[in-house]
Amino acid sequence: MFPLLVLCGALLGAYLLLCLTVLRLPRCKSPVKLHGKTVVITGANTGIGKSTAMDLAKRGARVILACRDQQRAEAAVSDIKKESGNNEVLYMHLDLANLQSVRSFAENFLKAESRLDILINNAGLVMRGKTKDGFGMIFGVNHLGHFLLTVLLLERLKACSPSRVVTVSSGAHRVGKIDFDCINTHKDLGVGDSAVALFKLYSNSKLCNVLFTHELARRLENTNVTCYSLHPGAIKTEIGRHSNLWWKMALLPITTLFFLDVESGAQTTLHCALQEGIEHLSGRYFSKCAVEEASTKARDDATAKKLWEVSERLCGLA
Ligand SMILES: NC(=O)c1ccc[n+]([C@@H]2O[C@H](COP(=O)([O-])OP(=O)(O)OC[C@H]3O[C@@H](n4cnc5c(N)ncnc54)[C@H](OP(=O)(O)O)[C@@H]3O)[C@@H](O)[C@H]2O)c1
Ligand SMILES: *[C@@H]1O[C@H](CO)[C@@H](O)[C@H](O)[C@H]1NC(C)=O
């Protein structure tokens, strides 16, 4: 009995220590207010995106939730309005799994709104299947849809500079690979739909996010539009919603013990969107509200350039 108690105590102590050190995420320290500024954030009806939108609304921004599901988005808009006291929070329809929808969003937005100060590419998923245009769902939503969205909004961002593009990637980019053959000939559909195969496709798409930001910064040199990619931390959200029950049950104890709340998960996005004095770090990757070295593959100029050109072609831009 006694050794068991000691063991439990030691485990609890170790866990608490872990929570106070390794697992802790710093807060965004910027006191910046955003009155008169407009922010677009994708996938803002739940998870990290909703928490980010809430913070931006509290700072006085006009916040546009670019989401695919009207009901879920409008529920989030009303929550955010209520809690922030800011009435300039609105939903505009955007389905990143449909390039025509991305084009319509950009058209509607550019017509209806006069400013764009911060674009946050936050939406993301892990899910089998294809997009409307026949791309692998994960590649199509996490990378390609955001690529087209950003390109279509770039002139407005330039006109409103200093402005920023923040893309939520993941630490999983470190195990990602870019297979141009697969992207070109099979639209990155991937093979198999086991959880492992899907995780690989997810990591690849998150590597695309970092490479996209790397190349975007190069193209935006001397414009006062800066861009950043980031890892939000391991956060309790709905991202695992499409996995099967067995995976959900297997992961539950891990997420319960070691994953943090969405408010913590929004901090590095907020840092990249708001912190003054990081402009010289445009194109870099952030974690825990600080710049961090992305993987070697994610910093390769030639791959980044090629991915940009391939993406342009896949979106019908080139
Ligand atoms: N949670 C983590 O531990 C973690 C770790 C590393 C990186 N990330 C990244 O953080 C970002 C936010 O994820 P989360 O964890 O907050 O997940 P989440 O709770 O599942 O939220 C994802 C959001 O993306 C939206 N979305 C999905 N497909 C879309 C589409 N086709 N068009 C428009 N919006 C779409 C979802 O809308 P619906 O509600 O309509 O589906 C939802 O609003 C993602 O980029 C993810 O890769 C998360
Ligand atoms: C960028 O900002 C600096 C400092 O405010 C300004 O002097 C410069 O003209 C701006 N450049 C462009 C291209 O807007």
Side-chain angles (χ1 to χ4, degrees):
M1 192 62 204
F2 183 67
L4 194 64
L5 273 177
V6 172
L7 182 67
C8 288
L11 279 176
L12 190 66
Y15 175 64
L16 288 176
L17 192 69
L18 210 61
C19 288
L20 290 171
T21 55
V22 185
L23 292 176
R24 232 168 93 181
L25 287 176
R27 307 253 112 196
C28 164
K29 291 194 188 69
S30 172
V32 167
K33 293 285 177 209
L34 297 171
H35 302 281
K37 308 272 185 200
T38 300
V39 183
V40 167
I41 170 160
T42 67
N45 57 275
T46 184
I48 297 165
K50 183 179 176 189
S51 184
T52 306
M54 181 72 83
D55 185 285
L56 298 168
K58 286 178 178 167
R59 291 171 190 263
R62 182 170 172 81
V63 183
I64 292 161
L65 279 64
C67 302
R68 62 176 167 176
D69 185 304
Q70 179 168 1
Q71 244 182 353
R72 285 163 68 81
E74 275 169 359
V77 166
S78 100
D79 284 353
I80 294 171
K81 278 185 178 171
K82 209 185 290 165
E83 191 179 322
S84 68
N86 180 344
N87 261 321
E88 289 194 60
V89 180
L90 51 143
Y91 151 68
M92 284 179 67
H93 185 259
L94 167 70
D95 181 359
L96 290 158
N98 176 354
L99 295 178
Q100 187 47 52
S101 170
V102 177
R103 289 180 185 282
S104 304
F105 172 87
E107 216 171 282
N108 294 338
F109 171 82
L110 293 171
K111 237 187 275 165
E113 298 289 328
S114 54
R115 299 196 60 84
L116 178 56
D117 299 281
I118 304 170
L119 167 63
I120 302 180
N121 294 319
N122 162 84
L125 46 59
V126 189
M127 186 188 166
R128 60 200 54 169
K130 289 184 196 179
T131 68
K132 184 89 194 309
D133 310 276
F135 297 101
M137 183 61 92
I138 296 173
F139 173 78
V141 169
N142 297 5
H143 168 64
L144 203 58
H146 281 126
F147 170 83
L148 179 60
L149 178 69
T150 307
V151 169
L152 295 176
L153 299 180
L154 222 44
E155 283 311 310
R156 179 62 55 83
L157 284 158
K158 285 181 192 167
C160 297
S161 73
S163 52
R164 296 187 183 186
V165 179
V166 178
T167 301
V168 182
S169 174
S170 165
H173 85 272
R174 296 186 187 284
V175 294
K177 291 197 181 83
I178 304 292
D179 181 345
F180 284 109
D181 281 341
C182 183
I183 292 175
N184 279 318
T185 52
H186 307 293
K187 300 188 164 190
D188 210 34
L189 290 168
V191 276
D193 49 20
S194 64
V196 173
L198 291 178
F199 180 71
K200 277 188 188 161
L201 290 170
Y202 177 75
S203 310
N204 298 350
S205 77
K206 293 287 134 182
L207 175 57
C208 288
N209 291 156
V210 185
L211 285 164
F212 160 68
T213 302
H214 183 89
E215 174 68 12
L216 181 62
R218 205 188 58 72
R219 290 174 181 250
L220 289 173
E221 265 170 33
N222 308 317
T223 62
N224 292 337
V225 184
T226 55
C227 57
Y228 315 90
S229 68
L230 67 108
H231 171 58
I235 310 300
K236 287 184 198 104
T237 68
E238 295 189 72
I239 194 142
R241 73 182 103 166
H242 302 293
S243 56
N244 69 38
L245 191 63
W246 293 113
W247 273 104
K248 281 187 185 141
M249 287 191 353
L251 291 175
L252 190 65
I254 299 172
T255 52
T256 307
L257 285 173
F258 301 112
F259 280 38
L260 297 184
D261 57 289
V262 288
E263 210 183 314
S264 302
Q267 298 306 313
T268 303
T269 302
L270 292 167
H271 178 84
C272 292
L274 306 171
Q275 186 61 51
E276 286 164 322
I278 62 167
E279 290 80 1
H280 65 290
L281 297 171
S282 184
R284 302 285 301 274
Y285 171 81
F286 285 67
S287 176
K288 299 189 172 183
C289 294
V291 71
E292 189 177 291
E293 202 79 282
S295 73
T296 318
K297 268 180 268 168
R299 289 179 278 126
D300 186 76
D301 294 341
T303 313
K305 181 164 183 286
K306 188 166 173 190
L307 177 66
W308 186 283
E309 289 164 358
V310 167
S311 304
E312 272 184 328
R313 198 168 41 69
L314 295 175
C315 290
L317 290 171

